[in-house]
Amino acid sequence: MASSFVVAFVGKPSAGKSSFLNAITDASAKVGNFPFTTIKPNEGVAYFPLDCPCKQYGVSDRCKPRHGRCQEGRRFVPVRMMDVAGLVPGASEGRGLGNRFLDDLRHADVLVHVVDASGMTDDQGKETKGYDPIDDVRWLRYEIEEWVAGNMLVKWANSVRRHLATKSHAVDTLHGLVAGYGARKEVVQRALDRLNSAGGGSSRDIGEWDEADVRRFVAVFLDLRFPTVVALNKIDMPDADKNIAAIMRRYKSVPGSVALMDGVSDRNIVLSSALAECFLRKMAKQGFIRYETGDDDFATHQEDASLKPMDEKMSRRLENIRDLVLFRYGSTGVQETVCRAVDVLGYVPVYPVKSVTNFGASSGDNTSSSAAFQDCVLVKPGTTVREFAKKLHSVAIDKGYAGAETVGNIQLAEDDVIVPGKNNIIKYFVSSA
C-alpha cells in the first residue's frame, strides 16, 4: 500500500523546478516499482531514505521491499511528488494558471518552493540581473493567503450569522470554511490553540472577529496546513552567496512566534543545485563516475579503473561541481530536500508483517515467504494501532480485528500510538468469524 501524502513542488518559470524534479524523481524506475495506482502527467516518484530494521534484526539478506529498495540496511521508500504549475504574481486573481495552481495545492500535504537564489530571473521568470529572490519567497505565501482569506471573507458574514444562530463551536464553523483546502478539524483546533496561547484574538468568540482576526487565523492555519520547505536553487551561480545570506537573516527563527514570517523558517531552507545533480546522475548512469544521490563526492577513472575515462571538458565540469557544490555545501541538496519535506510532516515508518520473529510479508501473494520487511508505510504522527489497521485492511479489519503485537510478542492496545523503534513493526490478528 502507498504512503498517502503528496509533496508539491512550486516555483516561478525558470527557477529550476523542472530540473529539480528531473533530479529528484527516479525516471528510470521500473514500472511497478512504486505503489501508486495512477501517476498523472504532473506527478512523479522520489525516494525517502531511512534506516531499515532489517539491519538491526540481522535479516538484510532477506529484506525484499515490494516497492522502493533497501541497500545494506538503508531503505528508500517511495513518496509521491507533484509539479504545481502556474505560479506567478497575481495567481490568486487568476493570472497565469492561477486557478489551476491553487486548485492543485488542495491535494498537497507539504510544499517545496524552488527559488532561484542567483537573482538572475525576475518575478515572471525572465532573464535579468540583481533580482531579489526574497520577493519570490514573499509573494508565494501572499498569493496563498489572499486565496484562502479572500474566500473566507466572502462567506464570513453568512457563516457568523449561522454560527450564532446555531450556537456552533468555533472549530466546526471555521472548519466548514477551510475544509475545501483538505484541512482536518484537528488542524483548525491547533491553529485556534496557537492563537489563544498568544492572545491573538481567537479567545473572543469568532462572532466578534473582524477582518484582521480572520487574516491572523489564516496565517497560522497555513503554517500548519501547508508547511513549506524552501529549496534555494542555483547555489553555484554568481551572487547566490549574497542572496542566501540575506534570506537566512530574514527568516531566522524567532522563539515564541505565533506565525512564521511568509510561512518560512530557516530550519526548512535547503541549499541546492538541481543541474549539478542531473549532470552527476547522468555521468554515473553512463559509467563515467561512481555517485549516489546525497553523496558528498564522486569517484572517477583515476580512483576506479572500472569507470570510463573522460575528456577534458567533461572533467572540468565535474571539478567545478566538486569545488562549487559538493565540497562547499556537502551535497547537491536534492536528497536533503526530500528528507526535509517528509521530516517536516513528522511521518512515522510502519512495517506490517505476518510474523514478529521472521518478519515475513504482511499479505499473501506469490512472493517467497522467506522475504522480510516487504512493506513500509509512512503514516501521520499520532496514528494509533487500530487506525493503521483500518488503513491497511480496510473493511475486513472492522469485522474481524482480534488484536495486534510487536517484536517480542508484546501485545498492543488499539489506542496505542505508533512510535518508531517501539511498536512500528506490527502483526495483526484477524478472526475468521
Side-chain angles (χ1 to χ4, degrees):
M1 66 177 300
S3 301
S4 56
F5 66 93
V6 177
V7 179
F9 279 74
V10 298
K12 70 183 182 184
S14 301
K17 182 161 60 78
S18 295
S19 296
F20 212 99
L21 286 164
N22 287 336
I24 214 167
T25 56
D26 190 356
S28 63
K30 295 179 181 178
V31 174
N33 195 35
F34 39 81
F36 312 115
T37 54
T38 303
I39 294 295
K40 299 177 182 178
N42 67 329
E43 293 182 352
V45 176
Y47 294 89
F48 174 65
L50 49 80
D51 291 331
C52 183
C54 69
K55 190 171 184 178
Q56 177 184 352
Y57 294 102
V59 294
S60 296
D61 59 325
R62 294 195 295 110
C63 187
K64 299 178 181 179
R66 216 184 299 268
H67 308 292
R69 65 189 187 277
C70 185
Q71 297 174 338
E72 301 177 351
R74 194 66 172 162
R75 186 131 181 168
F76 294 83
V77 182
V79 175
R80 192 193 296 263
M81 302 281 149
M82 178 171 66
D83 179 2
V84 180
L87 174 60
V88 294
S92 60
E93 300 170 2
R95 289 188 61 193
L97 299 176
N99 292 331
R100 175 184 162 188
F101 162 70
L102 295 170
D103 186 62
D104 280 348
L105 283 189
R106 301 171 194 267
H107 307 292
D109 293 280
V110 58
L111 307 183
V112 173
H113 186 189
V114 182
V115 174
D116 180 356
S118 73
M120 296 174 66
T121 52
D122 65 16
D123 60 353
Q124 301 295 321
K126 297 177 182 177
E127 188 174 342
T128 188
K129 289 183 180 180
Y131 178 78
D132 187 352
I134 286 177
D135 289 344
D136 290 344
V137 180
R138 186 186 295 122
W139 60 251
L140 169 68
R141 179 53 175 258
Y142 172 80
E143 294 295 344
I144 299 175
E145 283 194 11
E146 285 301 302
W147 173 49
V148 176
N151 287 341
M152 284 186 68
L153 289 168
V154 166
K155 304 173 184 176
W156 187 251
N158 288 336
S159 296
V160 167
R161 279 195 293 271
R162 193 180 309 114
H163 168 79
L164 295 173
T166 59
K167 299 181 180 178
S168 299
H169 193 284
V171 172
D172 294 325
T173 298
L174 290 170
H175 182 254
L177 289 166
V178 299
Y181 309 108
R184 306 184 312 278
K185 283 187 180 181
E186 175 262 336
V187 174
V188 175
Q189 183 66 67
R190 285 168 58 201
L192 280 173
D193 289 345
R194 187 175 292 186
L195 283 173
N196 273 325
S197 66
S202 66
S203 55
R204 307 195 319 275
D205 186 87
I206 64 171
E208 301 175 28
W209 282 15
D210 56 19
E211 180 176 342
D213 292 317
V214 173
R215 290 186 177 276
R216 275 193 290 270
F217 167 78
V218 169
V220 177
F221 166 73
L222 291 178
D223 285 348
L224 300 172
R225 174 61 188 89
F226 296 113
T228 301
V229 173
V230 175
L232 296 181
N233 195 30
K234 305 184 185 181
I235 54 176
D236 49 342
M237 300 295 285
D239 290 337
D241 283 352
K242 176 187 67 177
N243 293 328
I244 289 169
I247 289 171
M248 298 302 283
R249 283 195 302 271
R250 176 177 173 82
Y251 297 109
K252 186 173 179 61
S253 300
V254 178
S257 296
V258 179
L260 296 172
M261 180 181 291
D262 304 327
V264 176
S265 164
D266 59 351
R267 294 189 298 270
N268 293 327
I269 295 175
V270 182
L271 308 184
S272 61
S273 176
L275 280 179
E277 177 67 26
C278 287
F279 187 69
L280 290 171
R281 286 180 59 164
K282 177 182 177 182
M283 291 297 97
K285 185 176 181 180
Q286 293 178 357
F288 289 104
I289 63 173
R290 186 174 65 251
Y291 171 79
E292 292 284 343
T293 298
D295 286 353
D296 60 2
D297 199 4
F298 54 85
T300 66
H301 178 74
Q302 291 181 320
E303 293 83 31
D304 185 345
S306 67
L307 296 169
K308 297 178 184 177
M310 63 186 81
D311 60 32
E312 186 177 347
K313 180 179 178 181
M314 195 181 296
S315 180
R316 278 201 308 270
R317 184 171 179 185
L318 283 169
E319 282 305 312
N320 283 337
I321 290 175
R322 176 179 269 158
D323 293 340
L324 297 175
V325 179
L326 299 180
F327 284 1
R328 198 169 188 182
Y329 299 104
S331 76
T332 64
V334 167
Q335 185 71 74
E336 186 182 351
T337 300
V338 176
C339 294
R340 198 70 61 88
V342 177
D343 288 344
V344 78
L345 293 172
Y347 273 51
V348 175
V350 188
Y351 301 87
V353 296
K354 276 191 172 180
S355 167
V356 292
T357 55
N358 66 21
F359 311 109
S362 61
S363 59
D365 57 19
N366 295 325
T367 305
S368 170
S369 60
S370 65
F373 295 116
Q374 286 190 283
D375 297 301
C376 177
V377 183
L378 299 172
V379 300
K380 292 183 172 101
T383 297
T384 66
V385 170
R386 185 61 185 268
E387 287 170 343
F388 180 65
K390 291 178 181 179
K391 180 182 178 71
L392 189 66
H393 294 284
S394 188
V395 178
I397 198 67
D398 284 332
K399 294 182 178 180
Y401 182 89
E405 67 178 10
T406 189
V407 179
N409 301 112
I410 298 172
Q411 300 302 300
L412 300 175
E414 292 185 23
D415 60 354
D416 281 350
V417 173
I418 299 175
V419 178
K422 178 182 178 182
N423 60 358
N424 63 326
I425 299 172
I426 304 177
K427 173 186 176 180
Y428 285 104
F429 298 96
V430 180
S431 65
S432 55

